[in-house]
Amino acid sequence: MIPNVISAAAWAMIYKFIFNNDFGILNSVIRVFNPNFNVQWFYKSPWAFWAVTFTWLFYAVIVTLVVLGDLMNIPKELNEAALIDGATGWQLIRYIQLPLCRASIGTSVIASLTSRIAMYEQIALTTSGGPGDDTMSLPIILVKGIMDYRYGYANAVGVVMFIIGLIVLGVVNKLFRMDEASY
């Protein structure tokens, strides 16, 4: 839960130290096994993309907690009845637990995807969209448009972000049948 408690800006700065080539903990651990390891994580392609991607993987804890809460609310009688009827562990997950948790999984997917569409701090403070355009994102493009006094362009990027968010919302709602009752 630590990444969810600390601000995104502070977490990005912590990651700059974790991924630092000279004194970062990640390269130090890898050098125990490979002494010649030398990767500038945020400054070399394709490593920058993977380093930025790794900075938001810990946010999956929220998704895990939301789905776990939904799993714990499934009545034990449903699981017991399925086991008595001869369901295996995989069948129990596939036919009982996952369908009953689809609303929380769908909500988590929507929250995760929309927050990734709007991810600015981690990228701005670690790579600024580089090297080249490897880690460029719509919010970085939007802010650069504003800084360059290209307000129409920045507005267009904002509208695109909004439309992508609506599309994600619609697709996930349809895929997870969010408007149907679970029981």
Side-chain angles (χ1 to χ4, degrees):
M1 285 296 293
I2 299 284
N4 297 295
V5 175
I6 298 175
S7 75
W11 194 239
M13 298 312 294
I14 290 169
Y15 265 106
K16 281 195 81 147
F17 286 107
I18 290 172
F19 283 97
N20 188 290
N21 185 46
D22 298 324
F23 55 83
I25 190 167
L26 181 62
N27 282 359
S28 298
V29 169
I30 294 173
R31 284 188 187 118
V32 169
F33 303 104
N34 182 2
N36 297 326
F37 187 80
N38 187 22
V39 171
Q40 298 281 347
W41 289 98
F42 288 120
Y43 306 106
K44 298 284 184 184
S45 185
W47 304 109
F49 173 79
W50 295 109
V52 168
T53 301
F54 188 72
T55 63
W56 56 267
L57 286 179
F58 286 116
Y59 291 96
V61 172
I62 292 294
V63 173
T64 304
L65 291 175
V66 168
V67 174
L68 179 63
D70 215 12
L71 277 172
M72 293 175 72
N73 283 328
I74 295 175
K76 292 184 192 301
E77 294 82 17
L78 288 176
N79 291 328
E80 291 170 359
L83 291 172
I84 290 171
D85 287 343
T88 63
W90 175 247
Q91 289 172 330
L92 185 68
I93 292 169
R94 183 173 178 206
Y95 296 112
I96 304 291
Q97 294 173 346
L98 280 178
L100 293 176
C101 292
R102 75 174 184 273
S104 64
I105 294 171
T107 301
S108 299
V109 168
I110 289 169
S112 297
L113 290 177
T114 55
S115 65
R116 293 314 119 212
I117 292 167
M119 185 167 82
Y120 175 76
E121 293 94 346
Q122 290 96 334
I123 295 173
L125 293 172
T126 55
T127 65
S128 298
D133 288 335
D134 282 1
T135 60
M136 188 60 66
S137 67
L138 289 173
I140 297 289
I141 294 170
L142 186 141
V143 170
K144 284 186 179 185
I146 292 170
M147 298 300 226
D148 293 340
Y149 301 106
R150 296 170 51 199
Y151 300 118
Y153 180 71
N155 282 331
V157 172
V159 169
V160 168
M161 288 174 59
F162 180 73
I163 291 170
I164 290 172
L166 287 177
I167 290 170
V168 165
L169 183 65
V171 168
V172 172
N173 275 335
K174 191 76 168 166
L175 283 175
F176 287 93
R177 300 184 326 263
M178 303 278 284
D179 56 343
E180 297 176 17
S182 295
Y183 290 79

